[in-house]
Amino acid sequence: TVKLRISGYSPKPQALYVPQDDARQAVDYGKLPVQQDQYGNFFLMVEGDYSFVFDVEVDASKPSIPADQRFPPGGAEDGTYLQNSSYIQPSDPEAARRALDATRNSRTLLHAMKDLSLWVNSYMEYDTAYWGGIYSSSEALGLRKGVCDEFANVYIAMARSLGMPSRVATGIVFTGSQWQRHAWAETLVGGTWVPTDPTFGEIGLVNALHVKLYHAPSYLFYQFPQSLEDITVLEYTVDDYGVDLVVE
């Protein structure tokens, strides 16, 4: 469990996305008038010159993995999380070919998530020169370089090409020396969104040093809110943040 006190500032009117209160994160919103968007994200409508402080408790010690893990997945799924977007192109033949090859021995959806995540983690080179922009999955596959945004885009494109509904998750993460903006992915397994972080090679859950602020089908829907660049972790305590889920 990781407990944090997070502050931020919005200089302009906007929908301010805040740490999400869900099964993994407990957030005290107090009496603030938080709202939810169509994807279930919590946000505040602010008029500018707005400061906030939230207490967040993150617990990644009890992952809930659904029993229904048929692979390839069957049945009708929400096309929102399977289609192309400006940044994620599952119809790219190269993404589909790579995905089929990476999962040729996958027995369940969780195994497929593992195989895709580790393939992306191995294939892609993390290069901070790509900070500040977002490259599409097709561009990143060709470049073989990027940062967390590109790692997530490639994973999601490959997963969607196999019929695995997947989405972008964005927030902040502790890298070992500092807190910074970060992106990872979530795949729908038996009606539950299961996280995976291809940048760090974490599958089935992400450690408690990940604080989620929103999820969406693609960056097409939400560019990262500018106010999040001003987020500061005022203090934090760590009881245990390790990832102990093993996919054999």
Side-chain angles (χ1 to χ4, degrees):
T1 301
V2 176
K3 298 179 180 179
L4 311 95
R5 174 157 290 183
I6 299 174
S7 72
Y9 174 72
S10 175
K12 61 184 179 182
Q14 65 171 312
L16 176 66
Y17 285 83
V18 297
Q20 298 302 297
D21 184 52
D22 56 25
R24 180 177 170 275
Q25 296 181 176
V27 184
D28 182 6
Y29 297 128
K31 296 182 179 180
L32 293 172
V34 294
Q35 304 177 52
Q36 281 187 284
D37 67 12
Q38 60 182 315
Y39 302 114
N41 296 296
F42 290 94
F43 69 96
L44 292 166
M45 291 302 301
V46 300
E47 298 181 356
D49 192 24
Y50 180 84
S51 298
F52 66 89
V53 175
F54 289 113
D55 290 319
V56 184
E57 182 172 327
V58 186
D59 181 2
S61 65
K62 299 177 181 179
S64 177
I65 306 298
D68 183 5
Q69 294 187 35
R70 289 170 296 169
F71 182 77
E77 300 287 0
D78 184 351
T80 301
Y81 299 100
L82 291 172
Q83 62 190 223
N84 285 333
S85 73
S86 296
Y87 296 108
I88 299 168
Q89 291 102 25
S91 65
D92 180 353
E94 183 68 6
R97 182 180 71 82
R98 298 283 191 175
L100 285 170
D101 185 60
T103 60
R104 62 186 181 278
N105 296 319
S106 302
R107 302 185 304 279
T108 67
L109 275 173
L110 197 59
H111 280 105
M113 290 178 65
K114 172 188 175 182
D115 291 338
L116 290 173
S117 289
L118 295 183
W119 186 92
V120 173
N121 182 270
S122 174
Y123 180 81
M124 298 284 290
E125 176 186 347
Y126 192 92
D127 187 341
T128 55
Y130 289 83
W131 267 101
I134 301 176
Y135 290 80
S136 72
S137 58
S138 295
E139 291 171 327
L141 273 171
L143 292 166
R144 297 192 62 173
K145 295 181 179 181
V147 291
C148 56
D149 301 313
E150 287 70 43
F151 280 58
N153 285 344
V154 170
Y155 168 87
I156 294 168
M158 293 174 66
R160 288 183 182 180
S161 77
L162 298 170
M164 300 164 59
S166 299
R167 67 188 184 188
V168 176
T170 307
I172 58 174
V173 70
F174 189 68
T175 64
S177 59
Q178 63 181 348
W179 291 90
Q180 66 182 39
R181 186 177 72 84
H182 189 55
W184 58 98
E186 296 176 337
T187 292
L188 191 62
V189 179
T192 297
W193 288 101
V194 178
T196 186
D197 188 337
T199 304
F200 294 147
E202 298 177 6
I203 302 103
L205 73 161
V206 291
N207 71 40
L209 295 172
H210 292 65
V211 179
K212 188 166 82 167
L213 286 107
Y214 78 77
H215 52 253
S218 171
Y219 294 103
L220 175 66
F221 293 89
Y222 304 120
Q223 295 292 344
F224 205 85
Q226 183 63 41
S227 61
L228 298 191
E229 300 290 348
D230 300 321
I231 274 190
T232 301
V233 176
L234 299 175
E235 58 186 70
Y236 66 97
T237 59
V238 179
D239 294 331
D240 180 31
Y241 67 87
V243 175
D244 55 9
L245 178 67
V246 176
V247 182
E248 299 179 346

